[in-house]
Amino acid sequence: MAQVQIVSDGPRYRHQIRSGTHQLSADEPFALGGQGAGFAPFDLYLASLSACTAITLRMYAEKKGWDLGEFRAELASSRDDAGKLVVHRVLHASGALSDAQWARLLDVVERTPVTLVMREGAVITSERGTD
């Protein structure tokens, strides 16, 4: 499905993430001892969900012949009283969409692939490499 590699290139917490020919930087903010040189881990988590949100809704709208215009999703995370992560999405589109079309988009967004995986969780395994 997907494959990435992360390499520590210093200083401190800055890392380079690669997927195929694409690359981005990850780091911690200054407040956590990083250099602020890239996305923080939870920023990447939200970025994954936002990308899936935008791509899925764009694909759906194109299939239906709807003009989304410029689409934007704003995502924020927080913790509830029990400490559980809560993600809130606010969707915007400059295209002239009816209330019924918006209702359908809000229904579809609840079932994007990344949304479903984040809700169900994943099995994560680890092993030592042989370098």
Side-chain angles (χ1 to χ4, degrees):
M1 251 177 77
Q3 186 174 2
V4 300
Q5 178 187 40
I6 188 164
V7 177
S8 178
D9 66 356
R12 301 204 48 148
Y13 308 131
R14 188 179 73 203
H15 290 73
Q16 295 302 313
I17 301 171
R18 294 181 184 88
S19 177
T21 60
H22 305 287
Q23 182 172 308
L24 60 88
S25 296
D27 197 358
E28 288 290 353
F30 291 106
L32 296 178
Q35 300 299 306
F39 288 91
F42 275 101
D43 295 337
L44 290 166
Y45 183 85
L46 292 181
S48 173
L49 182 57
S50 68
C52 189
T53 295
I55 291 168
T56 300
L57 293 185
R58 178 70 65 188
M59 291 169 106
Y60 184 82
E62 286 178 358
K63 181 178 170 184
K64 292 291 191 177
W66 300 349
D67 179 16
L68 287 181
E70 180 182 284
F71 178 81
R72 186 173 83 251
E74 300 167 352
L75 284 75
S77 64
S78 60
R79 298 258 180 206
D80 66 14
D81 292 337
K84 184 171 178 141
L85 186 70
V86 176
V87 176
H88 182 66
R89 285 186 282 215
V90 179
L91 310 178
H92 304 268
S94 67
L97 299 171
S98 69
D99 288 343
Q101 288 171 317
W102 267 112
R104 185 67 185 129
L105 291 174
L106 289 169
D107 179 56
V108 169
V109 80
E110 294 302 316
R111 292 185 312 283
T112 70
V114 173
T115 299
L116 294 176
V117 168
M118 286 181 173
R119 284 192 176 135
E120 76 183 19
V123 174
I124 300 172
T125 63
S126 302
E127 67 181 76
R128 181 181 175 178
T130 57
D131 290 348

